[in-house]
Amino acid sequence: MAKNYTDLWLHYAPIQSADADLFRTISIPAGTSPILANAIDELRTASEGLFGFQPEFVLVESDHGIALAVDESLPTQNEGYTLISDSRKLRITGKSYAGLLYGVFAALRMAATKQSLKNQNIVESPAARWRVLNHWDVFSGGRAPVASDAAGLVARPRRYSIFYQGDDIMSDELVRDYCRALASVGINGVAIHNVNVVGNAFDFITPRFYRQLTALAELFAGYGIGLILPLNFASPIVIGKMETADPAVPEVEAWWHKQLAELNENVPNIAGYVVKADSEGFPGPFVYGRTQAQGANIIARAIRPFGQKLFWRCFVYNCQQDWRDTTIDRARSGYDNFQPLDGQFEDNVILQIKNGPQDFQVREPVHPLFGGLEHTHEMLELQIYQEYTGAQTHVCFLMPQFREILDFHTFARPEKDTVADVVGGRTFGDYENSGICAVANANATVNWTGHDLAAANLYGFGRLCFDPTLDPDVIAREWIVQTYSDDPLVVKNLGHILGTSWLTYEKYNAPLGLGWLCNNGFHYGPGPDIYEYDRWGTYHRANWKEIGVDRTSRGTGYTKQYHKELTELYDNIDTCPENLVLFFYRLPYTYVLKSGKTLIQHIYDTHFEGVEDVEVFVREWDELKGHVPDDVFERVQKKFQDQLAHSKEWRDVINTYFYRRTGIPDAKGRKIYE
Amino acid sequence: MAKNYTDLWLHYAPIQSADADLFRTISIPAGTSPILANAIDELRTASEGLFGFQPEFVLVESDHGIALAVDESLPTQNEGYTLISDSRKLRITGKSYAGLLYGVFAALRMAATKQSLKNQNIVESPAARWRVLNHWDVFSGGRAPVASDAAGLVARPRRYSIFYQGDDIMSDELVRDYCRALASVGINGVAIHNVNVVGNAFDFITPRFYRQLTALAELFAGYGIGLILPLNFASPIVIGKMETADPAVPEVEAWWHKQLAELNENVPNIAGYVVKADSEGFPGPFVYGRTQAQGANIIARAIRPFGQKLFWRCFVYNCQQDWRDTTIDRARSGYDNFQPLDGQFEDNVILQIKNGPQDFQVREPVHPLFGGLEHTHEMLELQIYQEYTGAQTHVCFLMPQFREILDFHTFARPEKDTVADVVGGRTFGDYENSGICAVANANATVNWTGHDLAAANLYGFGRLCFDPTLDPDVIAREWIVQTYSDDPLVVKNLGHILGTSWLTYEKYNAPLGLGWLCNNGFHYGPGPDIYEYDRWGTYHRANWKEIGVDRTSRGTGYTKQYHKELTELYDNIDTCPENLVLFFYRLPYTYVLKSGKTLIQHIYDTHFEGVEDVEVFVREWDELKGHVPDDVFERVQKKFQDQLAHSKEWRDVINTYFYRRTGIPDAKGRKIYE
C-alpha cells in the first residue's frame, strides 16, 4: 500500500542485529485489547522492516524470544513499563496496556538504534501524567481553505490538517499512522483544534459530530491517546442560544452540565478540554466581571463525573494596550491574573502555562507561575510549531531550549524544585494532574512537518516529556538513526546541525532575550519596529541611545514575581544571565558585556555569525547527497537555501535597524546597509 | 416608502423660492427615452420636496414654466446643455438626453441652493468625456463576507456592496438611487468591481451573469451611466481553459474576440473595461515577455466593433523589491514602463494613470506621464475612497487636493498644458478619449459613505470632473446646503471643516511629501518604519541624522521624467515646493525650512497643530446640535471623537518615532512620549 507521506522515525530500515532472534517468537498475554492489537501490528511491521521476517505470535510463554505482559502490580506509574532480559529472552511488561505499548516501542527504538536488548533491566515511568499535543488546526467546515497561486488562477480544495477534510473529522489511515508516531514517543493526549474556537468548530460538542468524534476517539484510545476538545467559553450563547455565558448564572452552569453530559454519553473516551478564555479577543469570565477560577470551575464541575480534565490556559493579558502607557508590563500579566487565585480552582483543573511570560520567543525567562502556584495544578505549554523560531523553514531543534526550561530551578522548595519537577507532580505531589504540552507542528504534508528536519522536534518533544533528563544530543541521534541511518557522516553532520540550530537561530534573531523583533501577523521574518506602536504590549522602546525595558524591582517589578533567590539573581546585572539581559534591563548600546564587547557590537557580531553558521549547515547538508534518500535530500536542500537567504534578511534588517538608530559602525567594517 | 439610507444631497428639503412658479408647468419633448422618464421622475420628486407640489407635465410648450428639449445642434459636447431663461420661463436643452438630464439636475441644484433660475444664459459642457467611478467592491459569490464580532459570536450574511448581495448582481431601488446621485453630478461610467478580479468575479464575462448584467446596464443607461467591467488578463486560462494568455498567441486574441463578442450580443450598453495587469501579483503581458501595449491591444481590438473603451492601468511597478537595493526608485516605474510605448496603443485604449507616482498619498507630485505621453490617451485616476487619507473615519475633503492636481502645469505645450487640459482632451485634441476617474467611496450603508461628511467627496468629484474650474469652497457649500440647509451656522462651521480638512490631515500624517508613514495592510494609522524593510519599494530610509530619498537628477533621476521646466524646478531645492521637499530630497533633521524652523521642529509643530485643528472641528460640529438631524449629528459626532483619538495617535507615534531617532527635544517642551 503506497502512502504519499513518510514513515517519520518509524522507518524500520533493515539492520544487522544480534537481537533479531528475539523477535522470532513473541508470546502475548491472554485477553483482548485494541492497544495490544496495535502493539502486535507494530511488532509485525517493525520486524518485517528491521529483520526481514514476521514474528510468530504465541499464547504460551517460553524460555526464549519476547514475552509481552501486563502486570498491575508493577512499581511504576500507570503508563510505566519494564524491559527485563537475559541473553535469550526479553520480557516487556506494562503496568497497563498503554505501558506495554510504550515498552514495545522502547524495545523497537533500542533495536533500530542498535542498542542491545539483551541482559537489560529497565524500569520506566513517564515523568508527567499528561503529555499532550495542541493542534492549532482550524476546522473550516463548509468553507474549506483553498490553495491558489499569486494570480488567483487556481482554486482547489485540499487536505491541510491530519484531522479534517472539508466538512469531516477524519479517522483514516493517515490519522492512524500519526497515532503510531505519537504513541512511539509516549504522547497520550491530543487537542485536535486551535484554542481559538470559531465558526463550525463550535459544533464539535453538538450531535453533528458525535459519530465522527466517536470514531476518532476510539482510534486514539487504541494508541493510549486521549481526545481533547477545545471549548469556546461563549458556547452557551452560540450553541445554547442563551442570553449570557456568565459563570455565576446557574442556568449557564446547568447548560454546560447538560451539554457535556450528552456529549459524553454519545462520545466515549474524551480525556479533557482546553480553553483559551479572555485572551486576544476570545470570551471568558472577565466579560462578566468574574475570575478565571469562577469561569473554569463551572466547566470543571460539569466534566468531573466523567473523570475528565480541564486544561485552562494562562495566556491572559491586555491586548489592547496603549503603547504610551509605560506602567503596564505584559510580562507580568500571567502571574498577576492567576497567582492570587491559587487554591481556588477545582481539583480537575490544570492551568496550562506557556514556558515564558511572553510568547514562545527564541529566548525568554521561565514563567514565574511555575513555582508560584502551590495549590493549583500546572501544565507546561511549549511550542514545536516554530511560530517565532523559523516557521519550519529554518531548522531549529528545540530540545536544548526545552531542557533549559525543564531544568530551571524555581526555588519553590529546597529540592525537587525544577520546572520538570513542578509539572511532573514531584514538587507539590500531584502527579495525576501534572503535564507538559506543546503546540503541534504536524499537518497533512508529505513529510508531516513541512521541513523534514522539523520532525525531530515532534520526536524530541515526546521523548523529553517521558524523560526530561534525556540529553538533547542523544535524542537527536536517536531520531537521526531511526529516520535515516547510522551512517557516520549522517550522524555527524545532522547531529551538529540539530544540536546547534537553536543557538544559531538566536544569533540572527532578537539578541539577549529582547524578543519581538519579528513581523506581526505570521511572526516570520524581521520587523524590528513593527510592534512598537501597536497594542500588543511587546515594546523594546529603542531610541538613539538605549533599548529594553527595566523589569527589575526598580522597574516594572516583574522580577518580584519569582521566589527571592531569583528576584535577587535577576535584580543584579552582574548575576543576571547575560543571554537574558535585554529582557530584564534597559541598556545603552555602548554597554560593555562580559565578553568585552559593546552591546551594539555584540548585535552586529552575532548577526554575522548566525549567517556563517547557516552557511556551514548548507555545506554539511550538501555533503549528505547520496547518504539520505534523494527526495529528502532535495526537499531539505531547498529549505536550507531558503533559510540561508532568510537568515541574511534577518542579519541585514537587524543590523541596519540598529545602525540607523545609532550611527555606530561595525568595528570589523563588514557590510551594513545604510 | 421608507428607505434605510439617506438621500445624500438629493434631499430636496422645503425652501422658499421665487422660482417655484417655474416648476408648476413643465413641457416635455415628443418621443420616449428612459433618461427622459427618469428626468421627469426627478423633477416630480424634487418639486414635491422643495416646493410642496407636483409639476404638471405637458406636451405643448407655452410662454411660462419650464420647457425640456433635446437639440443635437447645440454648440456643446454631446452631454452638454443650456439653461436659457427670462423672468417667466426656463428652457432646459440637452444636446442629448443625457445632456438634458444634466441640465435638469443643474436647475434643481440651483433651485435647492437658492440661485435664481431666472434671466440665465448658461451653456455647459463636461470638461472631459469620461467621468468614472471605480468601485473596489469584491464579489464573493458563494462565499459572502460575514459580519462577526470580535469573539466570533455572530455570523450573518449582509449586503456590503451597492451592487452585490450574496451570489447576485443587483439592480434594485438602492442601485437606482445611487444612479440618481451619480447622474446629478455628471458621472457617466461605473466600474462595478475591484480591479483585482479574483474568484467568482472572473465569471462576469460569462453567460452566468448575462441576465443580471443586462438589467444593471439598462438601469445605468437610464441615467446616462456606462457599465464598465474589470477584466483579469488571465481569463483565457481561467475561463477559456487555454494553456496560455500570451497576447502574441493568435488563439488568445481570438478567444478574447469570441468571448467579448458573445458578451456584447447578450449584454447591451457595456461602455468599457478596466484592466490591472502586471501589478501587485496580477497577471499581464510581462508574464510572457510582451509589452503593456501588446497586452492592451488584443483586448482593444476585440471590443472596437462595439465602440467600447479599454481603460488600462499604469500602476505597474516591482512589488518584490529588495530594500537593500537603492538603485530602484518605485516612483519612476509608471513612466519607465509606459512612456517608451507612447503611440503604440490602439486608439480605443485609454491609459488610466494615478494622480501621483506613488499611491494616493496625502501629498505627492503629479505623475510625470501627464504631459509625458503625446500620442496615447490618458485618464486621471483619483481616489475618494480615502485609503491613505483617513479611511472615511477622518474627515478629509479632497477637492482642494484635486484642484491642485488638475491645475498643475505639465509644460507639455505652451498653453492648455494643465492636467485638466491633458485629461480633458484639450492639450492633444482627443476629447472623445479623455477622462477622469476615482476609486469610489460608497457602499450599502445608512449614509452611503460610512462618514456622512465623506459624501462631500463623492459629490465634489463629480462636480469637478464636469467643471475643473469650480472652487472647492463653492462645491463644499453646494453640498452642505443641499444635504442639510443654508442655516448660516451649518454653512460656516461645515464649510470651515471641509475646506481645511485635507491640510489638517496632512499635518498629522507624513510631512512634506514624504509619504508612507502608515500601517501596511489597510493603510490606516501610523506605522512609520513598517515599510522600510519590506518589498514594496516605499522607503524613507530614516536614520539618526537624515531622512528621505534624493529623486533629483543627482539622485534617482526621477525629476528627469518631467519636462525641463519642472526638472529644473524640482532639481533646485530653493524652487522646489517646500511641501514636497521630502519627496524630492534627503535632508538632515536640522535642515532649516523657509519658515526658519528646522525640519524636526516642523514635524513636531505640524503634528501638534493637526490635533488642535481636529479639536476645533469637534467644537464646530458640537455647535451644530439641533441644526442638523439628530441621527446625523450623533453619527458624525462619534466619527469626530474617533478622529480626535486617532489624530493623537498619529501625532504621538510620529513625534516619538522622530524623537527616538534624533534625541532632539521639542523646542516648545510639549509632551513627546519616550
Side-chain angles (χ1 to χ4, degrees):
Chain A
M1 178 170 55
K3 294 170 177 174
N4 59 353
Y5 48 85
T6 73
D7 291 312
L8 288 165
W9 51 90
L10 301 180
H11 190 44
Y12 302 130
I15 57 166
Q16 294 299 320
S17 168
D19 294 341
D21 56 320
L22 288 173
F23 288 81
R24 296 225 173 247
T25 307
I26 301 179
S27 71
I28 56 177
T32 60
S33 145
I35 296 181
L36 179 60
N38 285 331
I40 291 169
D41 266 358
E42 195 70 29
L43 283 163
R44 191 178 282 123
T45 303
S47 300
E48 180 70 49
L50 292 168
F51 314 120
F53 60 76
Q54 295 218 350
E56 183 184 10
F57 291 96
V58 297
L59 287 169
V60 182
E61 192 177 331
S62 70
D63 63 352
H64 63 276
I66 295 176
L68 308 184
V70 174
D71 178 356
E72 290 180 11
S73 70
L74 222 59
T76 66
Q77 301 293 352
N78 187 52
E79 295 168 317
Y81 62 86
T82 58
L83 301 184
I84 314 289
S85 60
D86 56 24
S87 62
R88 298 191 63 216
K89 178 167 175 192
L90 165 65
R91 175 185 283 265
I92 305 175
T93 310
K95 181 157 180 163
S96 60
Y97 282 112
L100 174 59
L101 180 65
Y102 295 152
V104 166
F105 273 116
L108 292 174
R109 177 169 58 244
M110 290 174 70
T113 56
K114 301 185 184 170
Q115 298 170 70
S116 175
L117 283 164
K118 293 178 179 170
N119 302 308
Q120 292 285 359
N121 190 358
I122 294 170
V123 181
E124 287 281 350
S125 274
R129 166 68 181 88
W130 291 99
R131 304 171 305 281
V132 170
L133 286 174
N134 278 201
H135 272 260
W136 280 1
D137 303 13
V138 173
F139 179 75
S140 55
R143 282 183 290 268
V146 294
S148 70
D149 68 2
L153 300 188
V154 183
R156 56 191 159 76
R158 53 158 288 198
R159 184 170 181 180
Y160 285 93
S161 163
I162 293 166
F163 301 114
Y164 314 124
Q165 187 149 27
D167 271 334
D168 298 312
I169 298 176
M170 309 297 285
S171 46
D172 59 358
E173 192 68 13
L174 181 71
V175 181
R176 177 177 295 275
D177 282 333
Y178 189 53
C179 290
R180 289 173 54 221
L182 299 189
S184 78
V185 292
I187 300 293
N188 69 353
V190 173
I192 61 167
H193 194 275
N194 197 307
V195 288
N196 297 336
V197 175
V198 293
N200 291 289
F202 267 107
D203 292 348
F204 278 11
I205 58 170
T206 72
R208 175 178 166 195
F209 288 109
Y210 285 170
R211 191 180 54 78
Q212 293 188 337
L213 283 180
T214 297
L216 179 62
E218 190 177 336
L219 177 55
F220 274 14
Y223 288 93
I225 297 169
L227 173 64
I228 298 171
L229 296 176
L231 299 176
N232 187 314
F233 196 76
S235 296
I237 299 170
V238 178
I239 306 172
K241 311 296 178 198
M242 300 181 71
E243 295 285 311
T244 179
D246 183 350
V249 170
E251 290 78 9
V252 170
E253 181 163 356
W255 183 87
W256 282 109
H257 279 258
K258 180 168 176 296
Q259 189 76 16
L260 296 178
E262 286 175 8
L263 174 69
N264 279 289
E265 282 157 19
N266 288 282
V267 184
N269 295 323
I270 296 173
Y273 310 85
V274 57
V275 180
K276 174 178 181 173
D278 291 312
S279 179
E280 299 180 336
F282 278 77
F286 284 175
V287 174
Y288 307 101
R290 314 299 174 191
T291 69
Q292 294 295 302
Q294 287 176 288
N297 288 344
I298 58 163
I299 301 176
R301 288 192 288 265
I303 63 178
R304 190 162 43 194
F306 313 103
Q308 295 167 339
K309 304 297 177 188
L310 180 63
F311 303 100
W312 190 267
R313 293 177 89 236
C314 292
F315 189 54
V316 176
Y317 69 97
N318 175 5
C319 69
Q320 295 288 350
Q321 191 175 333
D322 186 335
W323 62 273
R324 290 167 285 213
D325 184 350
T326 56
T327 66
I328 307 176
D329 178 8
R330 169 172 159 180
R332 293 183 54 114
S333 61
Y335 188 94
D336 284 346
N337 279 311
F338 284 88
Q339 202 282 331
L341 305 177
D342 191 19
Q344 296 183 23
F345 289 90
E346 295 283 344
D347 196 53
N348 60 332
V349 176
I350 303 178
L351 295 187
Q352 186 168 315
I353 305 161
K354 292 192 182 190
N355 59 273
Q358 306 217 65
D359 190 18
F360 303 129
Q361 300 303 293
V362 66
R363 187 181 294 276
E364 45 180 307
V366 163
H367 203 297
L369 278 176
F370 295 114
L373 297 170
E374 304 209 351
H375 311 289
T376 305
H377 309 307
E378 293 169 89
M379 179 183 232
L380 169 63
E381 181 177 318
L382 299 166
Q383 198 196 55
I384 54 177
Y385 175 84
Q386 292 184 243
E387 180 179 0
Y388 296 93
T389 51
Q392 290 158 247
T393 291
H394 297 236
V395 60
C396 190
F397 181 60
L398 290 162
M399 297 317 113
Q401 185 199 49
F402 294 174
R403 267 302 297 269
E404 284 196 13
I405 293 160
L406 290 162
D407 290 350
F408 181 81
H409 286 279
T410 65
F411 294 92
R413 288 284 181 275
E415 56 182 11
K416 293 189 178 167
D417 72 327
T418 67
V419 171
D421 292 328
V422 170
V423 302
R426 292 180 291 282
T427 310
F428 304 116
D430 51 353
Y431 179 81
E432 276 305 310
N433 293 294
S434 69
I436 305 175
C437 70
V439 181
N441 65 349
N443 275 296
T445 54
V446 60
N447 54 11
W448 299 86
T449 49
H451 195 315
D452 287 73
L453 304 188
N457 282 323
L458 183 59
Y459 180 87
F461 169 70
R463 294 287 289 136
L464 212 50
C465 287
F466 212 91
D467 182 358
T469 68
L470 284 173
D471 183 328
D473 288 337
V474 170
I475 297 174
R477 190 181 188 287
E478 283 182 7
W479 179 80
I480 295 164
V481 173
Q482 291 176 88
T483 305
Y484 301 118
S485 75
D486 62 350
D487 177 331
L489 189 67
V490 175
V491 171
K492 173 173 162 283
N493 285 14
L494 260 185
H496 176 256
I497 290 170
L498 292 177
T500 60
S501 58
W502 171 50
L503 293 178
T504 289
Y505 190 81
E506 184 184 29
K507 285 180 188 174
Y508 56 78
N509 200 273
L512 304 172
L514 184 69
W516 301 112
L517 296 187
C518 59
N519 259 309
N520 55 3
F522 289 105
H523 303 147
Y524 183 66
D529 222 42
I530 281 184
Y531 280 102
E532 276 309 289
Y533 308 100
D534 215 330
R535 63 188 174 90
W536 301 99
T538 54
Y539 315 117
H540 54 61
R541 304 187 191 280
N543 67 15
W544 75 100
K545 63 177 178 181
E546 58 192 15
I547 186 167
V549 172
D550 181 357
R551 292 195 170 92
T552 69
S553 299
R554 299 170 296 278
T556 69
Y558 166 83
T559 55
K560 290 193 278 193
Q561 295 183 336
Y562 291 98
H563 289 284
K564 73 173 189 308
E565 292 85 346
L566 292 171
T567 307
E568 288 168 9
L569 181 88
Y570 293 134
D571 271 357
N572 181 345
I573 197 166
D574 293 327
T575 56
C576 177
E578 201 163 56
N579 57 21
L580 283 168
V581 76
L582 280 180
F583 178 89
F584 286 108
Y585 289 88
R586 182 166 179 83
L587 296 175
Y589 300 110
T590 52
Y591 175 80
V592 178
L593 297 165
K594 287 164 187 163
S595 62
K597 292 177 183 176
T598 60
L599 182 59
I600 186 78
Q601 191 59 39
H602 173 88
I603 293 171
Y604 294 154
D605 283 352
T606 50
H607 283 76
F608 282 107
E609 284 166 25
V611 173
E612 291 159 13
D613 287 357
V614 178
E615 286 168 342
V616 172
F617 294 169
V618 169
R619 283 200 300 275
E620 288 179 324
W621 183 258
D622 283 348
E623 288 172 9
L624 300 187
K625 187 171 173 67
H627 295 255
V628 294
D630 286 348
D631 56 341
V632 174
F633 179 80
E634 280 161 25
R635 279 198 303 264
V636 174
Q637 188 179 49
K638 174 72 176 59
K639 287 284 184 186
F640 271 124
Q641 284 159 0
D642 291 346
Q643 181 175 358
L644 180 60
H646 201 240
S647 65
K648 289 178 181 172
E649 179 76 5
W650 269 102
R651 174 194 68 191
D652 293 337
V653 171
I654 301 303
N655 283 346
T656 294
Y657 178 78
F658 284 107
Y659 175 68
R660 285 186 182 178
R661 294 259 137 177
T662 62
I664 300 173
D666 174 37
K668 299 178 186 170
R670 292 163 294 193
K671 176 70 178 175
I672 296 180
Y673 293 85
E674 294 280 331
Chain B
M1 179 170 53
K3 293 170 178 175
N4 59 353
Y5 49 84
T6 72
D7 291 312
L8 289 165
W9 52 89
L10 302 181
H11 189 45
Y12 301 130
I15 56 167
Q16 294 298 321
S17 169
D19 293 341
D21 56 319
L22 288 173
F23 288 81
R24 295 221 174 251
T25 308
I26 300 179
S27 70
I28 56 178
T32 60
S33 144
I35 297 181
L36 179 60
N38 285 331
I40 291 169
D41 266 359
E42 196 69 29
L43 283 162
R44 191 178 282 123
T45 303
S47 299
E48 181 70 50
L50 293 168
F51 314 121
F53 60 77
Q54 295 217 351
E56 182 183 12
F57 291 96
V58 297
L59 287 169
V60 182
E61 191 177 331
S62 71
D63 63 352
H64 62 278
I66 294 175
L68 307 184
V70 174
D71 178 357
E72 291 180 10
S73 70
L74 223 56
T76 67
Q77 300 293 353
N78 186 51
E79 295 169 316
Y81 63 86
T82 59
L83 301 184
I84 313 290
S85 60
D86 57 23
S87 63
R88 298 191 62 217
K89 179 166 174 193
L90 164 66
R91 175 186 283 264
I92 306 175
T93 310
K95 180 156 178 163
S96 59
Y97 281 112
L100 174 60
L101 180 66
Y102 294 151
V104 167
F105 273 117
L108 291 174
R109 176 169 58 244
M110 290 175 71
T113 56
K114 300 186 183 171
Q115 298 169 72
S116 176
L117 282 165
K118 294 178 177 170
N119 302 309
Q120 293 286 358
N121 190 357
I122 294 170
V123 180
E124 286 283 352
S125 273
R129 167 67 181 87
W130 291 99
R131 304 170 305 279
V132 171
L133 286 174
N134 278 202
H135 273 260
W136 281 0
D137 302 13
V138 173
F139 179 75
S140 54
R143 283 183 289 269
V146 295
S148 71
D149 68 4
L153 301 187
V154 183
R156 55 190 160 77
R158 53 159 288 199
R159 182 169 182 180
Y160 285 93
S161 162
I162 294 167
F163 301 114
Y164 313 126
Q165 187 150 27
D167 271 334
D168 298 311
I169 299 176
M170 309 297 287
S171 45
D172 59 358
E173 192 68 13
L174 181 72
V175 182
R176 177 178 294 275
D177 281 333
Y178 188 53
C179 290
R180 289 173 53 222
L182 299 190
S184 79
V185 292
I187 300 294
N188 69 351
V190 174
I192 60 167
H193 194 276
N194 196 307
V195 286
N196 297 337
V197 175
V198 292
N200 291 288
F202 267 107
D203 292 347
F204 280 10
I205 57 170
T206 72
R208 175 178 167 195
F209 288 109
Y210 285 170
R211 191 180 53 79
Q212 292 188 338
L213 283 180
T214 298
L216 179 61
E218 189 178 338
L219 177 54
F220 274 13
Y223 288 94
I225 297 169
L227 174 64
I228 297 171
L229 296 177
L231 299 177
N232 186 314
F233 196 76
S235 295
I237 298 171
V238 179
I239 306 173
K241 311 297 178 199
M242 299 180 72
E243 294 286 312
T244 180
D246 183 349
V249 171
E251 291 77 9
V252 170
E253 180 163 357
W255 182 88
W256 282 109
H257 279 258
K258 179 168 176 296
Q259 190 75 17
L260 296 178
E262 285 175 9
L263 174 69
N264 279 290
E265 281 156 20
N266 288 282
V267 184
N269 293 324
I270 297 173
Y273 310 86
V274 57
V275 180
K276 173 178 181 173
D278 291 311
S279 180
E280 298 180 337
F282 278 77
F286 284 174
V287 174
Y288 307 100
R290 315 297 174 193
T291 70
Q292 296 294 304
Q294 286 175 289
N297 288 346
I298 58 163
I299 302 176
R301 287 191 289 266
I303 63 178
R304 190 161 44 195
F306 312 103
Q308 296 167 339
K309 303 298 178 188
L310 180 64
F311 304 99
W312 189 267
R313 292 178 89 235
C314 293
F315 188 54
V316 176
Y317 68 97
N318 175 5
C319 70
Q320 295 289 349
Q321 191 174 335
D322 186 337
W323 62 272
R324 289 167 285 214
D325 183 351
T326 55
T327 65
I328 308 176
D329 178 8
R330 169 172 159 180
R332 293 182 55 113
S333 61
Y335 189 94
D336 284 346
N337 279 311
F338 284 89
Q339 202 281 332
L341 304 177
D342 191 19
Q344 296 183 22
F345 290 89
E346 294 283 344
D347 196 52
N348 60 333
V349 177
I350 304 178
L351 294 188
Q352 186 167 315
I353 305 161
K354 291 192 182 190
N355 60 272
Q358 307 216 63
D359 190 18
F360 303 130
Q361 301 303 294
V362 66
R363 188 182 294 276
E364 46 180 305
V366 164
H367 203 298
L369 278 176
F370 295 114
L373 297 169
E374 302 208 353
H375 311 289
T376 304
H377 309 307
E378 292 169 273
M379 178 182 234
L380 168 64
E381 180 177 318
L382 299 166
Q383 199 197 55
I384 55 177
Y385 175 84
Q386 291 184 244
E387 180 179 1
Y388 296 92
T389 52
Q392 289 158 249
T393 292
H394 297 237
V395 59
C396 189
F397 182 61
L398 289 162
M399 297 316 114
Q401 185 200 46
F402 294 173
R403 267 303 297 271
E404 285 196 14
I405 294 159
L406 290 162
D407 290 351
F408 181 81
H409 286 277
T410 65
F411 294 94
R413 288 283 182 276
E415 56 182 11
K416 292 189 179 168
D417 71 327
T418 67
V419 170
D421 291 328
V422 170
V423 301
R426 293 180 291 282
T427 309
F428 304 115
D430 52 354
Y431 178 81
E432 275 306 310
N433 292 294
S434 68
I436 305 175
C437 70
V439 181
N441 65 349
N443 275 294
T445 54
V446 60
N447 56 11
W448 300 85
T449 49
H451 194 316
D452 287 73
L453 304 187
N457 281 325
L458 183 59
Y459 180 87
F461 168 71
R463 294 286 288 137
L464 212 50
C465 287
F466 212 92
D467 182 358
T469 69
L470 284 172
D471 183 328
D473 289 336
V474 170
I475 295 174
R477 190 183 188 286
E478 282 181 9
W479 179 80
I480 295 164
V481 172
Q482 290 174 88
T483 304
Y484 301 118
S485 74
D486 63 350
D487 176 331
L489 190 66
V490 174
V491 171
K492 173 172 160 286
N493 285 14
L494 260 185
H496 176 257
I497 290 170
L498 292 176
T500 61
S501 57
W502 170 52
L503 294 178
T504 289
Y505 190 81
E506 182 183 30
K507 285 181 187 173
Y508 56 80
N509 200 275
L512 304 172
L514 185 68
W516 302 110
L517 295 188
C518 59
N519 259 308
N520 54 3
F522 289 106
H523 302 145
Y524 182 66
D529 223 41
I530 282 185
Y531 280 102
E532 277 309 291
Y533 307 100
D534 215 330
R535 64 187 173 90
W536 301 99
T538 55
Y539 315 116
H540 55 60
R541 304 186 192 279
N543 67 15
W544 74 99
K545 64 178 178 182
E546 57 192 15
I547 187 168
V549 171
D550 181 357
R551 292 196 170 92
T552 68
S553 300
R554 299 170 297 278
T556 70
Y558 166 82
T559 55
K560 290 192 277 194
Q561 296 183 335
Y562 292 97
H563 289 282
K564 73 173 190 306
E565 293 85 346
L566 292 172
T567 307
E568 288 168 8
L569 181 89
Y570 293 134
D571 271 356
N572 182 345
I573 198 168
D574 293 326
T575 55
C576 177
E578 201 163 55
N579 56 22
L580 284 170
V581 76
L582 280 180
F583 178 89
F584 286 108
Y585 289 87
R586 182 165 180 83
L587 295 175
Y589 299 110
T590 52
Y591 176 81
V592 178
L593 296 166
K594 288 166 186 162
S595 63
K597 291 178 185 177
T598 60
L599 182 59
I600 186 78
Q601 192 58 41
H602 172 87
I603 292 172
Y604 293 154
D605 283 351
T606 50
H607 283 76
F608 282 108
E609 284 167 24
V611 173
E612 291 160 12
D613 286 357
V614 177
E615 286 168 343
V616 172
F617 293 169
V618 168
R619 284 200 299 276
E620 288 179 325
W621 183 259
D622 283 349
E623 287 172 9
L624 299 187
K625 188 172 172 67
H627 295 256
V628 293
D630 286 347
D631 56 340
V632 173
F633 178 80
E634 281 161 25
R635 280 199 302 264
V636 174
Q637 189 179 48
K638 173 72 176 59
K639 288 283 185 187
F640 271 123
Q641 286 158 359
D642 291 346
Q643 181 176 358
L644 181 58
H646 200 240
S647 65
K648 290 177 180 172
E649 179 75 6
W650 269 101
R651 174 194 69 192
D652 292 337
V653 171
I654 301 302
N655 283 347
T656 294
Y657 178 79
F658 284 107
Y659 176 68
R660 286 186 181 179
R661 294 259 137 176
T662 62
I664 301 172
D666 174 37
K668 299 179 185 169
R670 290 163 295 194
K671 177 69 178 174
I672 295 180
Y673 293 84
E674 293 281 330

